[in-house]
């Protein structure tokens, strides 16, 4: 399950700049765009990773070293104090140490180096806007949520 979460997040970085060919270029381009603006992209993905088929659609918003991904079954928020992985349908959340762009780059390299792994990404839209308040990158959970903190 952790690999699916990280893959979803890594894929948003790959989707953001389809012209880039290497993980470091992808991460550099996203970092550069997110330094001065808020980047929002709408994506769809189909991936075969090892023996797992992953399909998802969603929206990713990134600025500075913060981002959130809102997919069909999962939401991921990287805030100042950690990375929150939410499963809204079951009202469960896992909080991990904060993921960095370097973590995503390393994971991306691992995924593409494995045999028979294929990722197809369609970026429906990409927009730049003014930066959002930091509170945008903090998820909202209620008292009825089960939160597991692994930090």
């Amino acid at each position: 399950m952790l690999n699916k979460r990280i893959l979803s997040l890594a894929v948003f970085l790959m989707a953001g700049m389809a012209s880039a060919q290497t993980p470091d270029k992808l991460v550099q381009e996203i970092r550069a765009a997110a330094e001065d603006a808020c980047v929002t992209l709408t994506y769809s993905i189909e991936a075969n990773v090892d023996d797992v088929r992953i399909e998802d659609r969603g929206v990713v918003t990134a600025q500075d070293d913060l981002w959130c991904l809102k997919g069909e079954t999962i939401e991921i928020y990287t805030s100042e104090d950690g990375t929150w992985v939410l499963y809204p349908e079951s009202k469960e959340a896992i909080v991990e140490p904060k993921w960095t762009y370097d973590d995503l780059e390393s994971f991306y390299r691992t995924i593409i180096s494995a045999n028979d792994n294929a990722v197809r990404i369609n970026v429906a839209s990409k927009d730049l806007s003014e930066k959002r308040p930091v509170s945008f990158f903090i998820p909202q959970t209620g008292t009825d949520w089960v939160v597991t903190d692994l930090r």
Side-chain angles (χ1 to χ4, degrees):
M1 186 63 79
L2 180 60
N3 283 346
K4 286 176 87 172
R5 291 190 303 256
I6 295 174
L7 177 63
S8 293
L9 196 52
V11 164
F12 109 75
L13 290 177
M14 296 184 310
M17 301 294 165
S19 63
Q21 298 299 316
T22 62
D24 25 345
K25 285 183 183 177
L26 290 170
V27 172
Q28 288 171 9
E29 289 182 45
I30 289 291
R31 280 181 173 167
E35 282 180 13
D36 299 322
C38 181
V39 181
T40 301
L41 28 118
T42 304
Y43 70 90
S44 64
I45 175 177
E46 295 177 8
N48 294 316
V49 179
D50 299 325
D51 293 330
V52 177
R53 174 97 174 137
I54 299 169
E55 294 182 19
D56 193 28
R57 296 185 189 296
V59 175
V60 175
T61 306
Q63 71 186 33
D64 300 319
D65 63 346
L66 307 173
W67 60 78
C68 69
L69 176 147
K70 294 181 181 181
E72 292 177 337
T73 60
I74 192 171
E75 295 181 13
I76 302 172
Y77 293 79
T78 295
S79 63
E80 291 296 323
D81 67 343
T83 296
W84 292 69
V85 181
L86 305 179
Y87 301 93
E89 188 173 305
S90 61
K91 294 190 175 188
E92 294 180 60
I94 299 171
V95 187
E96 300 179 356
K98 185 177 179 181
W99 297 351
T100 67
Y101 287 109
D102 292 336
D103 295 330
L104 294 172
E105 182 181 331
S106 295
F107 182 76
Y108 176 58
R109 286 180 198 222
T110 301
I111 290 295
I112 63 171
S113 67
N115 292 334
D116 299 325
N117 288 345
V119 178
R120 286 175 299 288
I121 304 149
N122 178 33
V123 176
S125 67
K126 177 184 165 204
D127 299 305
L128 299 177
S129 63
E130 290 185 28
K131 290 188 178 183
R132 297 177 183 250
V134 174
S135 61
F136 178 84
F137 299 93
I138 300 171
Q140 301 298 314
T141 58
T143 56
D144 55 340
W145 281 67
V146 175
V147 177
T148 304
D149 196 332
L150 303 175
R151 291 176 285 182

